[in-house]
Amino acid sequence: MKRRTFIQGLAALGVVGSLPLPLSRALAANIANPVSVDDLPKLKGELTLYLGRGEGGLYENVLQAIQKRNPDFKLGIRRGPTAALANTIVAEAKAGVKRADIFWAVDSGAIGLVTDAGLAQKIPTDLSEQLQPQFRYKEWAPVTGRIRTLPYNTSRLTKDQIPTSIMEIADSDLSIGWAPAYASFQSFVTAMRILEGDDKTAKWLKKVQKRSKTYAGELGVVMGVERGEVDIGFANHYYTLRLKSGKPDAKLDLAFTQNDAGCLVNASGVLALNDDPLATDFMRYLLSKEVQGYLATEAYEIPLINNISQPDGLPSLANISPPKIDLTQLADLRPTIDLMRNNGVL
């Protein structure tokens, strides 16, 4: 699939086509189909969004397009690291000050921090039913997914040489690239702790550390794999897809483990912090077919609503075997950080 420009990818967020159907009619017609922005109510009023940093300017492009389509809508945005904003929301609530109406987080762990504090509003059933069944939650809506992968150098390995168990990677002779200080890696380790226990996770970290090269971030991991500095790496899927989009002949491909933390599907997500219908209507735009398609095409993120094409170069979720885990369980990173520090990884 040829990558579209921003204007092409979000063209439908402008005023196009005939008059929209009422949202209720569109949903009643076929809940399995993605809802177009043409069928959504116009946004009127003011909201404050706390936006976790992520995906360069792509999320900003989405927000600008939504505001352009809705000239009577004013969106105030506070930007910052996702975890820091989640802590700010909780602290402000304890102080009796609620400044944010919506929280768009790039990591479900931060979502869990806010929902565990009882600050998120329940979302309407019709909104959650647009999502694939395994991504339906009562108090937040996943926006896009990202899967943990094993990028590998195709000149050094074939896919069948890579274990399909993340735990077996520690006992292999493969050289590994990792970014232990990176938030996505720490969420992955948290999932491993939940699934395997602290003792097994600690032993895994120690073994892997002996054969690992450390990078500042997961893009660096993928670039190191492609250069042949290491055999494989631990990284979210989109870093590999983005690198290959700019370098089609890259010596790089993706491998997946099965039913363990190594193929965890994490998600960005959005929640409302008050019961203003405007906040819910804003969330509907993020789940529209135009925004979902744009993020899949430009950010290579995984759309989590029905009938939107996956990013090029990535198997469908039906052909991947992620572990069954409540993503909000990834909220408390403190035991993970302590475990990693106690074992010399951080």
Side-chain angles (χ1 to χ4, degrees):
M1 180 187 299
K2 184 178 180 181
R3 295 186 69 198
R4 296 174 293 174
T5 65
F6 166 58
I7 294 176
Q8 292 171 323
L10 288 181
L13 285 178
V15 180
V16 295
S18 57
L19 293 175
L21 291 168
L23 178 61
S24 58
R25 287 178 58 196
L27 291 172
N30 192 343
I31 194 68
N33 287 329
V35 176
S36 169
V37 292
D38 288 336
D39 298 321
L40 294 177
K42 285 287 188 178
L43 303 179
K44 296 181 180 180
E46 298 184 11
L47 290 174
T48 297
L49 167 69
Y50 279 20
L51 175 65
R53 290 179 186 151
E55 313 320 323
L58 297 178
Y59 287 2
E60 300 282 355
N61 289 348
V62 168
L63 297 174
Q64 291 172 11
I66 291 173
Q67 291 178 91
K68 183 177 180 181
R69 182 178 177 84
N70 296 276
D72 295 325
F73 175 56
K74 182 178 180 181
L75 184 67
I77 305 173
R78 177 173 178 175
R79 302 165 178 84
T82 287
L85 289 178
N87 284 314
T88 298
I89 290 169
V90 173
E92 288 177 347
K94 289 180 179 178
V97 179
K98 290 188 176 182
R99 295 189 174 93
D101 300 303
I102 307 167
F103 181 35
W104 186 0
V106 298
D107 183 86
S108 59
I111 292 282
L113 188 69
V114 176
T115 58
D116 287 350
L119 300 177
Q121 298 290 319
K122 290 185 177 180
I123 64 174
T125 300
D126 67 76
L127 193 153
S128 65
E129 285 182 347
Q130 295 177 55
L131 293 153
Q132 297 175 31
Q134 66 269 39
F135 297 105
R136 294 175 185 173
Y137 294 89
K138 292 181 179 180
E139 297 174 318
W140 66 288
V143 177
T144 52
R146 60 284 311 272
I147 187 168
R148 298 300 297 175
T149 62
L150 301 175
Y152 68 95
N153 185 290
T154 55
S155 67
R156 298 175 62 148
L157 293 172
T158 60
K159 190 171 293 188
D160 59 9
Q161 292 177 287
I162 302 172
T164 56
S165 163
I166 195 66
M167 304 309 288
E168 291 178 9
I169 293 290
D171 296 316
S172 71
D173 59 358
L174 299 171
S175 60
I176 300 167
W178 69 354
Y182 206 60
S184 293
F185 182 86
Q186 293 170 7
S187 291
F188 149 69
V189 175
T190 301
M192 184 180 289
R193 286 182 45 248
I194 293 169
L195 295 167
E196 307 290 346
D198 285 6
D199 289 344
K200 286 186 178 180
T201 301
K203 291 176 181 177
W204 185 89
L205 288 167
K206 288 180 180 179
K207 288 180 179 179
V208 169
Q209 186 180 32
K210 293 177 181 178
R211 292 180 292 100
S212 290
K213 179 178 174 63
T214 298
Y215 296 85
E218 292 190 344
L219 177 58
V221 169
V222 170
M223 293 174 68
V225 172
E226 199 278 332
R227 289 193 296 263
E229 296 171 358
V230 290
D231 296 322
I232 66 169
F234 303 131
N236 282 343
H237 75 274
Y238 44 71
Y239 293 109
T240 294
L241 300 188
R242 291 174 191 171
L243 191 152
K244 291 185 71 173
S245 72
K247 188 179 180 181
D249 60 346
K251 299 175 182 179
L252 189 66
D253 203 352
L254 288 174
F256 302 86
T257 60
Q258 296 178 4
N259 298 308
D260 58 31
C263 61
L264 172 74
V265 177
N266 206 335
S268 67
V270 63
L271 57 80
L273 295 159
N274 61 47
D275 59 2
D276 186 346
L278 181 60
T280 303
D281 286 342
F282 172 83
M283 292 166 64
R284 297 184 194 281
Y285 276 79
L286 299 185
L287 296 186
S288 68
K289 69 177 183 181
E290 290 83 8
V291 170
Q292 291 280 302
Y294 173 72
L295 291 176
T297 303
E298 298 298 320
Y300 291 95
E301 296 187 12
I302 302 172
L304 301 180
I305 63 173
N306 295 302
N307 298 326
I308 298 291
S309 298
Q310 300 287 325
D312 284 348
L314 189 71
S316 71
L317 288 180
N319 295 322
I320 298 173
S321 303
K324 294 182 179 179
I325 189 169
D326 182 342
L327 294 179
T328 56
Q329 289 183 280
L330 307 179
D332 190 0
L333 286 176
R334 287 171 294 180
T336 297
I337 299 298
D338 290 344
L339 182 72
M340 295 174 72
R341 285 176 176 164
N342 292 339
N343 287 278
V345 175
L346 289 178

